[in-house]
Amino acid sequence: MAVTSDRMRLVYTALVSLLVGVAHAVDRSNFKTCEQSAFCKRQRELIPGQSPYRALLETLELSGTRLTLQLINDNNKVRLLLELYRLQGNMTRVKINELKPLKPRFEVPDVLITDPPTEPMSVVTQDENGVVLSLGGENQRLIVSAKPFRLDIIEGPEVLLSLNSRGLLSFEHLRPRKDTKSETEADHAEGKEDDPEQEGEKNGNEEEDKPGMWEETFKSHTDSKPNGPTSVSLDFSFPGVEHVYGIPEHADSLRLRNTDGGDPYRLYNLDVFQYELDNPMSLYGGVPVLLSHSPHRTMGLFWLNAAETWVDISSNTAGQTMFGKMVDYIQGSSDIPQTDVRWISESGIIDVFIMLGPKPKDVFTQYASLTGTQAFPPLSTLGYHQCRWNYKDQEDVQSVDQGFDEHDIPYDFIWLDIEHTDGKRYFTWDPNTFPQPKDMLQGLANKKRKLVAIVDPHIKVDSGYKIYSELRSKGLFVKTKDGSDYEGWCWPGNSGYPDFTNPEMRAWWASQFAYDQYEGSMENLFVWNDMNEPSIFNGPEVSMHKDALHGSVEHRDLHNLYGFYVQMATAQGLIQRSGGVERPFVLTRSFFAGSQRYGAVWTGDNAAEWGHLKASIPMCLSLGLVGISQCGADVGGFFKHPSAELLVRWYQAGAYQPFFRGHAHIDTPRREPWLFGPENTALIREAVQQRYTLLPYWYLLFYKAHRTGIPVMRPLWVEFPEDVDTFAIQDEFLLGRDLLVHPVAEEGAKGVTAYLPGKGEVWYDAHTFQKHEGGQNLYIPVTMSSIPVFQRGGSIICRKNRVRRSSSCMENDPYTLYVALSPQGTAAGELYIDDGHTFNFETQKQFIHRSLTFSDNKLTSSNLVLDAKFSTSAWIEKVVIAGASEPKAVTLKNSDGTESSLEFEFDAAMATLTIRKPGVNAGADWTILLK
């Protein structure tokens, strides 16, 4: 890090001028390929089918819920310790570590919400070739084969998956350098080498050193690698599986591609400036969770490792691999498809959770039990957010706010990027452009609106800056390998990087959001964490040196956790400032497994291109599959300037994605929704208003995501797991189980073809109530006003049709129930109401959760949670029943037994019944009878 200040100033100037200019594409040369990553290259050179690992069955110990077994590498005699756990909820945990490492290897903390509860295992049979364990139930077994070592999980006659079936387990043990003398070598010299558990420490040194093991250079950066080679690898095989998903974040297809002949998917959180589409390059976040799906079963793998990771995907048939012998023996045939997945990480241990489903929703529940569920967002965050880099001053903010009112477009949040600060010093305001931030915030609060300010984790090196001086005096910055404060260049210039892995640092950071610390902040200010990969303009791959130190732990071991910890500390700060009462909202660019517990994610620096609009769908679907439901893309594209058509289509798509924010680069022309002519303003207004009418449904979906882990935005196969026609669809999606959305994402489109799943089911156009049969591809003519949305037959969806300037202004407004009848004449749905912003729903059970059912010509509202207590003044204004027959009369029956007649209209052409002004409270018991 020893670079002269003059030279650094020149470097910084060049970097900033490069970064703020509108680039045409990412500079791939800034980022490694597998061939340029020494450990990935080494691991990929391994030849399948030549596993040196053998299970030493005589070392097997089973103590109730934990099985341990030593493995030995017959090439170097290094011993590993295998731990197997059967977990509650149909999961299995496999851990592999060195038996006696030279020093402890890093194990990921803080991601699991608890030590997963275990269940007993038992040995069914054992001989010299292996051991068979019962995983509970009569049919589920785990087979440990000794030579070569392999694990197979079977259920009845079906092989569910196998570990090390291709023989690609590899565990690079810690070792002293050949040119150094260590205590271990001295011990061997004293005669201790006869201990079989120490054989690897002696013989490991006999392995040939390869380039990049002890030092690696990429461009101008050298990684010192003081611990030498430490990578780990393991392969998994899924017989009968052709579709795998997950491992975000990548700008690629929903279904993961075969990586043979190309780079693996990479998980290494990086600031990739204007990323390219359709490739496996790393982006800003990484969640090492993969789902497999077939018509018969859904399973998941959670690879708990925060180091740089690569994932290879291979399509095969079972008979072409070693695994084929096991399949042949059990299933009688090997002519079945198979997907092989190989994980490669630079350091740490192997710690993998196998989630055995069997249904998609079971996998979501299983993963949620490990890492938690989506934070329940304040209702207002589900409205529209207006952002750009940057609104220049308080008057600009006020003008934009007024523009939404003048053009009758609702919104809830306006955002401030880095220019609002005093010289990129976070937790401050520019005294010239934002001299009275509380006045600005109060003006927004008067309209029941809010503001988000950016707070990045790079801290300007400036002894007169309180945040920097306190962090330095407390020793809370990340350190270089030599022990000095790690410094790099970002938006403020030379910056320090707080060590968020340190609980003391996180507590201090959280304390800075207190109202008496963050000057100018108020209750309606929330936070955006950007650049938290971390982004370092003059660092290797625009990030931190891997040999930087977090205490005694190298950055290489925990790189992918950095953004996770930043968001964690920020969310905790927002909770603390309210005394634990108010729910926080924190948007993060970088994330890891478990980040869903702390807020929202967006897809980063996209571009105003049709391809990026299309990519927003699979990118958010992939995030939802691994627990992160509050996802969105910058509406209109961050870079470049969208055409009016593209902008309108993006608003229409974004209105039906979980996080709905318009954002733009500082060098792009202004693009507030009313700047593209009155016709386009009207189209955008309509899209945003549709979002606001559906806020009750969005809120219910997020409540369910918070309670169960099921994603809000779902691929079709989640709800139709046996329909193979849904498995690769990525241009349409479901919101919950009951709304199907097919955004128009083609320039000049005159029509789209939507697949309506479910043979024997029906779908209703959500705008016209026209009925369509399920199980078909439906061509839909479109105009610029079209947003193809369909409501599933058999569902009831609650809306608020009186759209106001913000969601908070609609709190007590009435509901309209949209009942879409199934072919059997039934429907069901739910309504959830609480105060919209506190934890009282959790701490005091202050909420309303109603069941809505239609059967036998009766629509009924009943209480789902009898001990919940909350009151609302909102009422039921209207009921619309699609697929209905004309009744002779409609009667309301109240909970006290009183009855009254209701007015209604029937549209025979569309078979739609409209019941007006039932007038009942939204939290009451009632029944509407059709006679």
Side-chain angles (χ1 to χ4, degrees), residues 105-126:
R105 295 178 68 116
F106 182 72
E107 298 188 36
V108 175
D110 301 317
V111 168
L112 300 178
I113 57 174
T114 186
D115 193 16
T118 57
E119 295 184 341
M121 292 183 290
S122 59
V123 174
V124 178
T125 60
Q126 181 175 352

PDB file of all heavy atoms in Angstrom, residues 105-126:
ATOM      1  N   ARG A 105      -8.933 -23.484  10.598  1.00  0.00           N
ATOM      2  CA  ARG A 105      -9.410 -22.952   9.324  1.00  0.00           C
ATOM      3  C   ARG A 105     -10.708 -22.187   9.570  1.00  0.00           C
ATOM      4  O   ARG A 105     -11.476 -22.495  10.480  1.00  0.00           O
ATOM      5  CB  ARG A 105      -9.632 -24.080   8.313  1.00  0.00           C
ATOM      6  CG  ARG A 105      -8.330 -24.793   7.940  1.00  0.00           C
ATOM      7  CD  ARG A 105      -8.574 -25.937   6.975  1.00  0.00           C
ATOM      8  NE  ARG A 105      -8.996 -25.483   5.669  1.00  0.00           N
ATOM      9  CZ  ARG A 105      -8.302 -25.655   4.542  1.00  0.00           C
ATOM     10  NH1 ARG A 105      -7.099 -26.230   4.575  1.00  0.00           N
ATOM     11  NH2 ARG A 105      -8.789 -25.235   3.386  1.00  0.00           N
ATOM     12  N   PHE A 106     -10.957 -21.170   8.746  1.00  0.00           N
ATOM     13  CA  PHE A 106     -12.081 -20.271   8.955  1.00  0.00           C
ATOM     14  C   PHE A 106     -13.404 -20.995   8.720  1.00  0.00           C
ATOM     15  O   PHE A 106     -13.585 -21.688   7.717  1.00  0.00           O
ATOM     16  CB  PHE A 106     -11.978 -19.077   8.013  1.00  0.00           C
ATOM     17  CG  PHE A 106     -13.076 -18.069   8.182  1.00  0.00           C
ATOM     18  CD1 PHE A 106     -13.113 -17.238   9.303  1.00  0.00           C
ATOM     19  CD2 PHE A 106     -14.097 -17.947   7.240  1.00  0.00           C
ATOM     20  CE1 PHE A 106     -14.126 -16.296   9.463  1.00  0.00           C
ATOM     21  CE2 PHE A 106     -15.109 -17.011   7.392  1.00  0.00           C
ATOM     22  CZ  PHE A 106     -15.126 -16.188   8.515  1.00  0.00           C
ATOM     23  N   GLU A 107     -14.335 -20.819   9.648  1.00  0.00           N
ATOM     24  CA  GLU A 107     -15.708 -21.297   9.503  1.00  0.00           C
ATOM     25  C   GLU A 107     -16.638 -20.093   9.595  1.00  0.00           C
ATOM     26  O   GLU A 107     -16.492 -19.244  10.468  1.00  0.00           O
ATOM     27  CB  GLU A 107     -16.047 -22.325  10.574  1.00  0.00           C
ATOM     28  CG  GLU A 107     -15.162 -23.573  10.494  1.00  0.00           C
ATOM     29  CD  GLU A 107     -15.616 -24.680  11.433  1.00  0.00           C
ATOM     30  OE1 GLU A 107     -16.846 -24.845  11.615  1.00  0.00           O
ATOM     31  OE2 GLU A 107     -14.746 -25.374  11.993  1.00  0.00           O
ATOM     32  N   VAL A 108     -17.592 -20.008   8.693  1.00  0.00           N
ATOM     33  CA  VAL A 108     -18.434 -18.821   8.536  1.00  0.00           C
ATOM     34  C   VAL A 108     -19.322 -18.623   9.772  1.00  0.00           C
ATOM     35  O   VAL A 108     -20.121 -19.509  10.101  1.00  0.00           O
ATOM     36  CB  VAL A 108     -19.310 -18.933   7.274  1.00  0.00           C
ATOM     37  CG1 VAL A 108     -20.281 -17.760   7.180  1.00  0.00           C
ATOM     38  CG2 VAL A 108     -18.431 -19.011   6.028  1.00  0.00           C
ATOM     39  N   PRO A 109     -19.209 -17.475  10.436  1.00  0.00           N
ATOM     40  CA  PRO A 109     -20.097 -17.178  11.570  1.00  0.00           C
ATOM     41  C   PRO A 109     -21.287 -16.324  11.139  1.00  0.00           C
ATOM     42  O   PRO A 109     -21.313 -15.779  10.039  1.00  0.00           O
ATOM     43  CB  PRO A 109     -19.177 -16.371  12.499  1.00  0.00           C
ATOM     44  CG  PRO A 109     -18.320 -15.584  11.527  1.00  0.00           C
ATOM     45  CD  PRO A 109     -18.152 -16.457  10.282  1.00  0.00           C
ATOM     46  N   ASP A 110     -22.273 -16.209  12.001  1.00  0.00           N
ATOM     47  CA  ASP A 110     -23.334 -15.192  11.933  1.00  0.00           C
ATOM     48  C   ASP A 110     -24.353 -15.372  10.816  1.00  0.00           C
ATOM     49  O   ASP A 110     -25.338 -14.639  10.769  1.00  0.00           O
ATOM     50  CB  ASP A 110     -22.729 -13.785  11.825  1.00  0.00           C
ATOM     51  CG  ASP A 110     -21.833 -13.450  13.009  1.00  0.00           C
ATOM     52  OD1 ASP A 110     -22.228 -13.762  14.145  1.00  0.00           O
ATOM     53  OD2 ASP A 110     -20.726 -12.906  12.787  1.00  0.00           O
ATOM     54  N   VAL A 111     -24.134 -16.305   9.926  1.00  0.00           N
ATOM     55  CA  VAL A 111     -25.081 -16.493   8.819  1.00  0.00           C
ATOM     56  C   VAL A 111     -26.240 -17.389   9.249  1.00  0.00           C
ATOM     57  O   VAL A 111     -27.405 -17.100   8.973  1.00  0.00           O
ATOM     58  CB  VAL A 111     -24.366 -17.061   7.577  1.00  0.00           C
ATOM     59  CG1 VAL A 111     -25.369 -17.524   6.532  1.00  0.00           C
ATOM     60  CG2 VAL A 111     -23.431 -16.008   6.983  1.00  0.00           C
ATOM     61  N   LEU A 112     -25.922 -18.485   9.934  1.00  0.00           N
ATOM     62  CA  LEU A 112     -26.980 -19.343  10.457  1.00  0.00           C
ATOM     63  C   LEU A 112     -27.667 -18.635  11.619  1.00  0.00           C
ATOM     64  O   LEU A 112     -27.012 -18.020  12.465  1.00  0.00           O
ATOM     65  CB  LEU A 112     -26.402 -20.678  10.931  1.00  0.00           C
ATOM     66  CG  LEU A 112     -25.682 -21.528   9.871  1.00  0.00           C
ATOM     67  CD1 LEU A 112     -25.126 -22.788  10.515  1.00  0.00           C
ATOM     68  CD2 LEU A 112     -26.616 -21.880   8.718  1.00  0.00           C
ATOM     69  N   ILE A 113     -28.989 -18.724  11.680  1.00  0.00           N
ATOM     70  CA  ILE A 113     -29.702 -18.031  12.746  1.00  0.00           C
ATOM     71  C   ILE A 113     -29.641 -18.795  14.061  1.00  0.00           C
ATOM     72  O   ILE A 113     -29.897 -18.231  15.122  1.00  0.00           O
ATOM     73  CB  ILE A 113     -31.174 -17.769  12.359  1.00  0.00           C
ATOM     74  CG1 ILE A 113     -31.895 -19.073  12.008  1.00  0.00           C
ATOM     75  CG2 ILE A 113     -31.250 -16.783  11.217  1.00  0.00           C
ATOM     76  CD1 ILE A 113     -33.386 -18.903  11.756  1.00  0.00           C
ATOM     77  N   THR A 114     -29.297 -20.064  14.008  1.00  0.00           N
ATOM     78  CA  THR A 114     -29.152 -20.873  15.214  1.00  0.00           C
ATOM     79  C   THR A 114     -28.344 -22.103  14.854  1.00  0.00           C
ATOM     80  O   THR A 114     -28.118 -22.385  13.674  1.00  0.00           O
ATOM     81  CB  THR A 114     -30.533 -21.286  15.763  1.00  0.00           C
ATOM     82  OG1 THR A 114     -30.360 -21.954  17.023  1.00  0.00           O
ATOM     83  CG2 THR A 114     -31.253 -22.225  14.810  1.00  0.00           C
ATOM     84  N   ASP A 115     -27.871 -22.804  15.862  1.00  0.00           N
ATOM     85  CA  ASP A 115     -27.228 -24.084  15.614  1.00  0.00           C
ATOM     86  C   ASP A 115     -28.328 -25.051  15.189  1.00  0.00           C
ATOM     87  O   ASP A 115     -29.231 -25.345  15.984  1.00  0.00           O
ATOM     88  CB  ASP A 115     -26.534 -24.583  16.885  1.00  0.00           C
ATOM     89  CG  ASP A 115     -25.596 -25.748  16.603  1.00  0.00           C
ATOM     90  OD1 ASP A 115     -25.256 -25.958  15.430  1.00  0.00           O
ATOM     91  OD2 ASP A 115     -25.227 -26.450  17.565  1.00  0.00           O
ATOM     92  N   PRO A 116     -28.327 -25.545  13.967  1.00  0.00           N
ATOM     93  CA  PRO A 116     -29.491 -26.298  13.479  1.00  0.00           C
ATOM     94  C   PRO A 116     -29.785 -27.519  14.345  1.00  0.00           C
ATOM     95  O   PRO A 116     -28.879 -28.294  14.662  1.00  0.00           O
ATOM     96  CB  PRO A 116     -29.065 -26.715  12.060  1.00  0.00           C
ATOM     97  CG  PRO A 116     -28.018 -25.728  11.664  1.00  0.00           C
ATOM     98  CD  PRO A 116     -27.296 -25.400  12.932  1.00  0.00           C
ATOM     99  N   PRO A 117     -31.028 -27.681  14.765  1.00  0.00           N
ATOM    100  CA  PRO A 117     -31.385 -28.839  15.597  1.00  0.00           C
ATOM    101  C   PRO A 117     -31.225 -30.140  14.820  1.00  0.00           C
ATOM    102  O   PRO A 117     -31.516 -30.212  13.624  1.00  0.00           O
ATOM    103  CB  PRO A 117     -32.846 -28.586  15.975  1.00  0.00           C
ATOM    104  CG  PRO A 117     -33.347 -27.593  14.978  1.00  0.00           C
ATOM    105  CD  PRO A 117     -32.174 -26.781  14.551  1.00  0.00           C
ATOM    106  N   THR A 118     -30.761 -31.151  15.522  1.00  0.00           N
ATOM    107  CA  THR A 118     -30.440 -32.431  14.891  1.00  0.00           C
ATOM    108  C   THR A 118     -31.411 -33.513  15.339  1.00  0.00           C
ATOM    109  O   THR A 118     -32.144 -33.365  16.311  1.00  0.00           O
ATOM    110  CB  THR A 118     -29.009 -32.852  15.234  1.00  0.00           C
ATOM    111  OG1 THR A 118     -28.878 -32.921  16.670  1.00  0.00           O
ATOM    112  CG2 THR A 118     -27.996 -31.862  14.696  1.00  0.00           C
ATOM    113  N   GLU A 119     -31.372 -34.619  14.618  1.00  0.00           N
ATOM    114  CA  GLU A 119     -32.181 -35.790  14.943  1.00  0.00           C
ATOM    115  C   GLU A 119     -31.284 -37.024  14.908  1.00  0.00           C
ATOM    116  O   GLU A 119     -30.249 -37.033  14.228  1.00  0.00           O
ATOM    117  CB  GLU A 119     -33.347 -35.932  13.956  1.00  0.00           C
ATOM    118  CG  GLU A 119     -34.349 -34.792  14.050  1.00  0.00           C
ATOM    119  CD  GLU A 119     -35.544 -34.975  13.139  1.00  0.00           C
ATOM    120  OE1 GLU A 119     -35.447 -35.772  12.172  1.00  0.00           O
ATOM    121  OE2 GLU A 119     -36.579 -34.333  13.385  1.00  0.00           O
ATOM    122  N   PRO A 120     -31.669 -38.070  15.610  1.00  0.00           N
ATOM    123  CA  PRO A 120     -30.800 -39.260  15.685  1.00  0.00           C
ATOM    124  C   PRO A 120     -30.642 -39.949  14.338  1.00  0.00           C
ATOM    125  O   PRO A 120     -31.539 -39.949  13.496  1.00  0.00           O
ATOM    126  CB  PRO A 120     -31.526 -40.164  16.687  1.00  0.00           C
ATOM    127  CG  PRO A 120     -32.463 -39.275  17.426  1.00  0.00           C
ATOM    128  CD  PRO A 120     -32.852 -38.189  16.480  1.00  0.00           C
ATOM    129  N   MET A 121     -29.460 -40.538  14.157  1.00  0.00           N
ATOM    130  CA  MET A 121     -29.190 -41.431  13.039  1.00  0.00           C
ATOM    131  C   MET A 121     -28.880 -42.810  13.613  1.00  0.00           C
ATOM    132  O   MET A 121     -28.531 -42.946  14.787  1.00  0.00           O
ATOM    133  CB  MET A 121     -27.987 -40.957  12.222  1.00  0.00           C
ATOM    134  CG  MET A 121     -28.202 -39.679  11.459  1.00  0.00           C
ATOM    135  SD  MET A 121     -26.755 -39.232  10.443  1.00  0.00           S
ATOM    136  CE  MET A 121     -25.578 -38.786  11.716  1.00  0.00           C
ATOM    137  N   SER A 122     -28.968 -43.808  12.779  1.00  0.00           N
ATOM    138  CA  SER A 122     -28.606 -45.155  13.233  1.00  0.00           C
ATOM    139  C   SER A 122     -27.937 -45.909  12.093  1.00  0.00           C
ATOM    140  O   SER A 122     -28.195 -45.644  10.916  1.00  0.00           O
ATOM    141  CB  SER A 122     -29.848 -45.907  13.711  1.00  0.00           C
ATOM    142  OG  SER A 122     -30.804 -46.014  12.671  1.00  0.00           O
ATOM    143  N   VAL A 123     -27.060 -46.834  12.457  1.00  0.00           N
ATOM    144  CA  VAL A 123     -26.396 -47.679  11.471  1.00  0.00           C
ATOM    145  C   VAL A 123     -27.316 -48.835  11.122  1.00  0.00           C
ATOM    146  O   VAL A 123     -27.799 -49.557  12.014  1.00  0.00           O
ATOM    147  CB  VAL A 123     -25.057 -48.208  12.013  1.00  0.00           C
ATOM    148  CG1 VAL A 123     -24.442 -49.208  11.035  1.00  0.00           C
ATOM    149  CG2 VAL A 123     -24.093 -47.055  12.263  1.00  0.00           C
ATOM    150  N   VAL A 124     -27.564 -49.015   9.828  1.00  0.00           N
ATOM    151  CA  VAL A 124     -28.391 -50.121   9.360  1.00  0.00           C
ATOM    152  C   VAL A 124     -27.521 -51.337   9.090  1.00  0.00           C
ATOM    153  O   VAL A 124     -27.769 -52.430   9.598  1.00  0.00           O
ATOM    154  CB  VAL A 124     -29.178 -49.720   8.097  1.00  0.00           C
ATOM    155  CG1 VAL A 124     -30.013 -50.895   7.581  1.00  0.00           C
ATOM    156  CG2 VAL A 124     -30.075 -48.517   8.387  1.00  0.00           C
ATOM    157  N   THR A 125     -26.472 -51.159   8.304  1.00  0.00           N
ATOM    158  CA  THR A 125     -25.513 -52.240   8.043  1.00  0.00           C
ATOM    159  C   THR A 125     -24.128 -51.634   7.878  1.00  0.00           C
ATOM    160  O   THR A 125     -23.985 -50.447   7.558  1.00  0.00           O
ATOM    161  CB  THR A 125     -25.857 -53.020   6.754  1.00  0.00           C
ATOM    162  OG1 THR A 125     -25.828 -52.124   5.638  1.00  0.00           O
ATOM    163  CG2 THR A 125     -27.227 -53.676   6.847  1.00  0.00           C
ATOM    164  N   GLN A 126     -23.103 -52.456   8.072  1.00  0.00           N
ATOM    165  CA  GLN A 126     -21.723 -52.010   7.890  1.00  0.00           C
ATOM    166  C   GLN A 126     -20.864 -53.207   7.531  1.00  0.00           C
ATOM    167  O   GLN A 126     -21.015 -54.291   8.100  1.00  0.00           O
ATOM    168  CB  GLN A 126     -21.191 -51.346   9.162  1.00  0.00           C
ATOM    169  CG  GLN A 126     -19.762 -50.831   9.036  1.00  0.00           C
ATOM    170  CD  GLN A 126     -19.275 -50.071  10.266  1.00  0.00           C
ATOM    171  OE1 GLN A 126     -20.055 -49.798  11.181  1.00  0.00           O
ATOM    172  NE2 GLN A 126     -18.000 -49.745  10.296  1.00  0.00           N
TER     173      GLN A 126
END
